[in-house]
């Protein structure tokens, strides 16, 4: 595996709304890894991401980012190196901004208090827009975007930060099949350019792109499985994870999980 | 020179320009951050402070501003500590301030004309000192928006994403609460505690109908609020009508016109 450790948590517990969300977990993320974080509702997937970028404080244990404790000034600096797409990007559809302005927001943390976007920042925004397929939509108001375009805009905004770690919290959950494929393909394309560590949270194993090399299965705020694809894509392991019998269906290398040992129809 | 030959009308015009500017600008915070209850709570805090000032025999304006500052400073940390939505913590604050206001009204001896007058205000009674204070606050508000524009834009779009990127969202948000409280307290005398909501909601809501740019929304909202104040003041002078009421009706009429002309409402 190798690679420098970019994020490390040791014996961490965390609470969300006075309920234990993470219980005594330890984890190390290395540079250039693509980690798929999968689990049922309430398993602590989103809390894990929020813990790593400092939005949730641990009740015990330690969190390190880029080799230093994630606190105070270092946390503020580390956040600039992390691109984050929240789970619910529930902004007001009539919010007065264009796609260009929202993607440019990814540059704000680097500009400081008095800084204004330079031609270099504008060029970076244009480049990220091309990469994410938003090149023709930059001057469109954000309220005029489809669900898939909104997610692409969120990823573009995070990428405009030129992050070393990209954290995506359920980027494909509320999308139709075509948009899921587009966003999944985009994440893979962005990752394959190199230099990026990706943490991709999802309910659906089939949404993880083929480049996902490490699977983190979570249940009840604990790590249920942490390892390569082969061990994660196992009916027994996934039945234990979801608490019900499941069946795996492999279609051209993409695996989907169905409940009920073959009788269920809804994908998990 | 018409009405401007009178000193009180020159003062009233200055108060209309400065009050309109302040309310129009803070109204954009209220609309884009979706915290409409903040202005209600702040105006009642200002009213409660003014009543307590009358009771103690000290300046109602100074006491109104002081209580607004205390409440504005408390609402953000209270919401964060109690893990409440800001609107709910503002609602709790509102119940405290309205209780204080009515307690103070009940304890006032003699006629309560001065205290009750704060509900509807009187722009014709503004002093040179009030105008100087309004000018200072308006200048600080303009400077604050110019300096922190990009941070305000990011927080209003998505608070969590802004925080995750390292933008000091709590400090900016608490600052917005504070300046909203001060602007409302300053307009208690001119527009009135009940009528000031109209000047805070209507101009930004009207501007919202016409633009997809936050910068233009600030500009249009300020213009609409100033126009409402000047129109209301002029109509009240020539038609001998209560100034506060005419100002609010003018701002409502502008909102109605903007709704009719809004490109956002036109079906394509």
């Amino acid at each position: 595996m190798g690679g420098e450790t970019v994020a490390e948590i040791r014996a961490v517990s965390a609470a969300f709304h006075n309920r234990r969300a993470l219980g005594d977990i330890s984890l190390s993320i290395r540079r250039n890894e693509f980690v798929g974080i999968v689990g049922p509702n309430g398993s602590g997937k989103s809390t894990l991401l929020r813990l790593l970028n400092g939005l949730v404080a641990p009740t015990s244990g330690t969190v390190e980012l880029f080799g230093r404790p994630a606190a105070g000034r270092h946390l503020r600096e580390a956040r600039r190196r992390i691109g984050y797409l929240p789970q619910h990007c529930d902004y007001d559809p009539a919010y007065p901004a264009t796609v260009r302005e929202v993607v440019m927001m990814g540059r704000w943390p680097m500009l400081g208090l008095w800084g204004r976007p330079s031609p270099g920042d504008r060029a970076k925004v244009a480049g990220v827009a091309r990469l994410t397929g938003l090149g023709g939509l930059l001057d469109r108001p954000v309220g005029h975007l489809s669900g898939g375009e909104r997610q692409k805009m969120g990823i573009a905004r995070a990428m405009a930060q030129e992050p070393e770690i990209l954290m995506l919290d359920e980027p494909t959950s509320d999308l139709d099949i075509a948009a899921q494929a587009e966003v999944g393909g985009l994440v893979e394309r962005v990752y394959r350019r190199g230099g990026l560590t990706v943490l991709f949270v999802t309910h659906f194993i089939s949404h993880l792109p083929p480049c996902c090399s490490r699977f983190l299965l979570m249940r009840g705020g604990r790590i249920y499985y942490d390892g390569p694809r082969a061990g994660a894509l196992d009916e027994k392991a996934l039945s234990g994870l979801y608490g019900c019998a499941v069946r795996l269906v492999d279609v051209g290398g993409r695996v989907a999980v169905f409940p009920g040992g073959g009788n269920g129809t809804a994908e998990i | 020179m018409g009405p401007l030959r009178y000193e009180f009308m020159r003062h009233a015009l200055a108060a209309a320009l400065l009050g309109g500017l302040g309310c129009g600008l803070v109204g954009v915070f209220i609309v884009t951050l979706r915290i409409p209850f903040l202005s209600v709570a702040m105006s009642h805090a200002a009213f409660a402070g003014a009543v307590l000032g009358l009771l103690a025999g000290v300046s109602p304006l100074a006491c109104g501003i002081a209580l607004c500052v205390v409440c504005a400073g408390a609402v953000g940390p209270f919401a964060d500590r109690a893990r409440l939505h800001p609107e709910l913590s503002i609602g709790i604050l509102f119940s405290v301030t309205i209780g204080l206001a009515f307690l103070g009204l009940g304890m006032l001896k003699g006629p309560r004309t001065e205290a009750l007058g704060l509900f509807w205000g009187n722009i014709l009674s503004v002093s040179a000192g009030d105008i100087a204070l309004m000018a200072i606050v308006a200048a600080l508000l303009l400077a604050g928006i110019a300096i922190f524009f990009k941070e305000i834009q990011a927080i209003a779009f998505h608070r969590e994403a802004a925080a995750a990127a390292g933008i000091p969202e709590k400090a900016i948000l608490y600052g917005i609460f504070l300046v909203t409280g001060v602007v409302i307290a300053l307009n208690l005398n001119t527009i009135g505690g009940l009528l000031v909501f109209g000047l805070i909601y209507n101009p930004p809501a009207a501007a919202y109908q016409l633009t997809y740019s936050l910068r233009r929304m600030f500009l249009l909202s300020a213009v609409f609020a100033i126009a409402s104040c000047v129109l209301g003041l002029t109509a009240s002078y020539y038609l001998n009508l209560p100034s506060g009421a005419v100002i609010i009706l003018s701002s409502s009429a502008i909102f109605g016109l903007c709704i009719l002309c809004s490109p956002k409402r036109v079906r394509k």
Side-chain angles (χ1 to χ4, degrees):
Chain A
M1 302 266 258
E4 172 203 353
T5 297
V6 289
E8 182 150 31
I9 58 180
R10 291 191 206 98
V12 160
S13 295
F16 188 65
H17 289 307
N18 297 327
R19 190 180 65 84
R20 193 189 73 171
L22 293 176
D24 192 30
I25 65 170
S26 295
L27 179 70
S28 179
I29 310 281
R30 287 169 293 279
R31 192 174 290 282
N32 296 333
E33 273 191 308
F34 192 119
V35 185
I37 304 170
V38 184
N41 289 326
S43 57
K45 309 181 295 294
S46 297
T47 306
L48 178 61
L49 285 198
R50 291 161 56 82
L51 178 90
L52 282 169
N53 63 22
L55 291 171
V56 168
T59 50
S60 64
T62 57
V63 180
E64 281 189 6
L65 289 169
F66 306 107
R68 292 171 65 187
R73 188 188 172 90
H74 177 65
L75 175 61
R76 282 197 296 278
E77 284 167 5
R79 279 170 158 178
R80 291 172 192 170
R81 299 161 72 182
I82 299 173
Y84 174 58
L85 178 73
Q87 185 177 1
H88 301 292
C89 207
D90 52 348
Y91 62 84
D92 180 354
Y95 184 81
T98 59
V99 174
R100 186 189 303 278
E101 287 177 297
V102 172
V103 178
M104 183 62 89
M105 285 177 198
R107 302 297 307 156
W108 291 165
M110 270 63 72
L111 297 180
L113 189 61
W114 301 98
R116 291 290 174 264
S118 66
D121 292 313
R122 291 195 187 91
K124 277 180 184 128
V125 166
V128 166
R130 275 195 301 278
L131 175 71
T132 51
L134 293 170
L137 304 178
L138 276 174
D139 293 316
R140 187 173 285 191
V142 294
H144 293 186
L145 299 181
S146 67
E149 288 165 345
R150 275 205 296 272
Q151 291 298 64
K152 285 202 264 182
M153 179 180 71
I155 294 170
R157 173 192 159 134
M159 287 304 295
Q161 260 179 261
E162 298 182 304
E164 291 167 53
I165 304 175
L166 181 62
M167 295 183 181
L168 306 169
D169 198 349
E170 301 197 23
T172 50
S173 287
D174 300 323
L175 304 180
D176 62 40
I177 294 172
Q180 280 171 15
E182 252 190 273
V183 171
L186 165 63
V187 174
E188 180 158 23
R189 207 160 60 239
V190 161
Y191 174 69
R192 289 202 187 279
R193 288 166 76 226
L196 192 63
T197 306
V198 176
L199 306 183
F200 189 121
V201 164
T202 180
H203 287 298
F204 305 102
I205 283 186
S206 62
H207 290 195
L208 289 169
C211 60
C212 178
S213 54
R214 182 176 173 190
F215 283 64
L216 201 69
L217 307 185
M218 295 190 70
R219 184 179 179 183
R222 292 178 185 276
I223 295 171
Y224 182 79
Y225 171 85
D226 180 6
R229 174 180 290 262
L233 298 179
D234 172 81
E235 285 188 357
K236 198 173 162 197
L238 292 173
S239 295
L241 177 73
Y242 291 109
C244 65
V246 301
R247 182 175 161 228
L248 297 181
V249 178
D250 188 329
V251 184
R254 298 295 287 266
V255 176
V257 183
F258 291 91
N263 297 324
T265 52
E267 188 191 347
I268 295 176
Chain B
M1 284 292 284
L4 289 182
R5 67 181 178 275
Y6 304 112
E7 189 185 32
F8 73 90
M9 280 305 286
R10 288 196 295 276
H11 284 177
L13 181 65
L17 294 172
L18 294 167
L21 179 65
C23 289
L25 293 176
V26 298
V28 176
F29 301 142
I30 302 284
V31 170
T32 55
L33 288 165
R34 286 179 275 175
I35 44 171
F37 215 30
L38 179 67
S39 59
V40 181
M42 285 301 150
S43 75
H44 283 84
F47 180 66
V51 170
L52 294 177
L54 288 173
L55 202 61
V58 290
S59 160
L61 179 63
C63 287
I65 292 175
L67 196 57
C68 263
V69 168
V70 169
C71 289
V75 70
F78 174 61
D80 287 334
R81 291 224 169 172
R83 294 181 185 282
L84 296 173
H85 188 278
E87 274 291 90
L88 186 56
S89 68
I90 291 165
I92 292 164
L93 173 78
F94 167 71
S95 63
V96 173
T97 54
I98 194 80
L100 275 176
F102 279 96
L103 181 70
L105 270 181
M107 290 167 71
L108 269 180
K109 291 194 171 48
R112 295 160 186 163
T113 322
E114 193 177 356
L116 291 172
L118 295 171
F119 270 126
W120 45 83
N122 184 3
I123 202 167
L124 302 178
S125 67
V126 179
S127 70
D130 292 340
I131 292 167
L133 201 54
M134 288 169 93
I136 291 168
V137 170
L140 288 175
L141 181 57
L142 278 172
I145 292 170
I147 293 168
F148 298 111
F149 180 80
K150 60 185 191 302
E151 285 81 6
I152 292 167
Q153 190 183 38
I155 291 164
F157 181 70
H158 201 286
R159 193 178 159 188
E160 187 179 279
I167 289 172
E169 42 89 41
K170 278 188 184 167
I172 302 276
L173 201 64
Y174 296 174
I176 286 172
F177 291 163
L178 191 71
V179 77
T180 302
V182 172
V183 166
I184 288 173
L186 281 175
N187 281 285
L188 211 58
N189 226 4
T190 53
I191 312 294
L194 281 179
L195 299 172
V196 76
F197 315 137
L199 207 49
I200 289 205
Y201 298 147
N202 289 342
Y208 210 43
Q209 305 303 316
L210 300 183
T211 182
Y212 292 109
S213 152
L214 186 62
R215 199 169 271 113
R216 264 184 237 130
M217 187 174 164
F218 272 116
L219 182 71
L220 284 173
S221 179
V223 168
F224 290 156
I226 289 171
S228 304
C229 286
V230 174
L231 232 125
L233 181 65
T234 312
S236 75
Y237 176 81
Y238 286 108
L239 304 174
N240 195 24
L241 294 168
S243 54
V246 187
I247 287 170
I248 297 314
L249 288 174
S250 304
S251 75
S252 304
I254 290 173
F255 174 71
L257 277 174
C258 289
I259 279 273
L260 289 176
C261 307
S262 171
K264 294 184 180 181
R265 311 264 161 202
V266 176
R267 284 177 188 274
K268 291 183 177 154

